[in-house]
Amino acid sequence: MKIVLQRVSYGSVKVDNKIVGEISKGFVLLFGVAQNDTEKNADFLADKCLNLRIFEDEQGKMNLSINDIKGEVLVVSQFTLYGDTKKGRRPSFIDAAPPEKADQLYNYFVKKLRESNLKVETGIFRADMQVEIHNNGPVTFILEN
């Protein structure tokens, strides 16, 4: 599993020119699933996202988690995170999980995040989405396991 986590002041995702998910201060998570990923991987990364201390405290230090600030989360599925561009000019997606497995683990991951009682929004799996990200910082991390 691979996540591109961006700390944002705003994030939204549109499908067919209609906003289907929208958040204010929090995270936009671009979420990809690999062939061998399991619910255990999703558990680990959900916990990491909820407890990673990357929001500033009163002294301006990255010391607060999204839980601490009661932030919001937008999760967008993105199989292209597993695109291999080492050879040739066309990416290979052989490492990406098949859609059925990826969809199941995507929904499981979102469910785990929602157990935190934070606002969690999503895109639409396999849809053509337009994602708007107002990266705050900029702060971006790549999380894998």
Side-chain angles (χ1 to χ4, degrees):
M1 226 163 261
K2 189 181 295 188
I3 294 174
V4 175
L5 178 154
Q6 295 192 29
R7 186 179 76 180
V8 301
S9 56
Y10 173 82
S12 70
V13 61
K14 290 181 182 179
V15 175
D16 295 327
N17 251 359
K18 179 183 171 208
I19 292 178
V20 296
E22 184 175 41
I23 63 162
S24 58
K25 185 177 183 178
F27 292 152
V28 170
L29 305 177
L30 305 177
F31 181 85
V33 179
Q35 292 273 350
N36 298 321
D37 284 333
T38 66
E39 289 181 355
K40 184 177 177 182
N41 299 110
D43 290 337
F44 174 83
L45 286 175
D47 181 69
K48 179 66 78 173
C49 289
L50 293 170
N51 294 295
L52 192 63
R53 299 183 315 168
I54 63 169
F55 291 94
E56 295 176 352
D57 63 15
E58 307 81 40
Q59 287 78 38
K61 301 226 185 258
M62 284 189 186
N63 211 17
L64 301 174
S65 72
I66 196 157
N67 275 323
D68 295 330
I69 68 155
K70 305 296 184 229
E72 301 176 352
V73 182
L74 175 61
V75 186
V76 179
S77 62
Q78 190 164 354
F79 81 97
T80 60
L81 292 177
Y82 280 98
D84 183 352
T85 59
K86 290 178 187 152
K87 294 182 181 178
R89 301 193 187 279
R90 184 174 183 273
S92 167
F93 298 102
I94 198 162
D95 292 335
E100 301 76 25
K101 179 178 183 175
D103 187 30
Q104 184 270 322
L105 286 172
Y106 170 75
N107 287 312
Y108 179 83
F109 177 78
V110 169
K111 181 182 106 173
K112 296 305 281 185
L113 292 177
R114 286 186 171 143
E115 289 173 2
S116 70
N117 292 319
L118 296 177
K119 177 183 176 182
V120 178
E121 298 278 306
T122 66
I124 297 175
F125 190 82
R126 295 187 82 183
D128 182 13
M129 297 177 274
Q130 302 300 311
V131 182
E132 186 173 347
I133 299 171
H134 295 199
N135 192 316
N136 182 359
V139 174
T140 302
F141 293 94
I142 299 172
L143 309 175
E144 296 181 80
N145 71 352

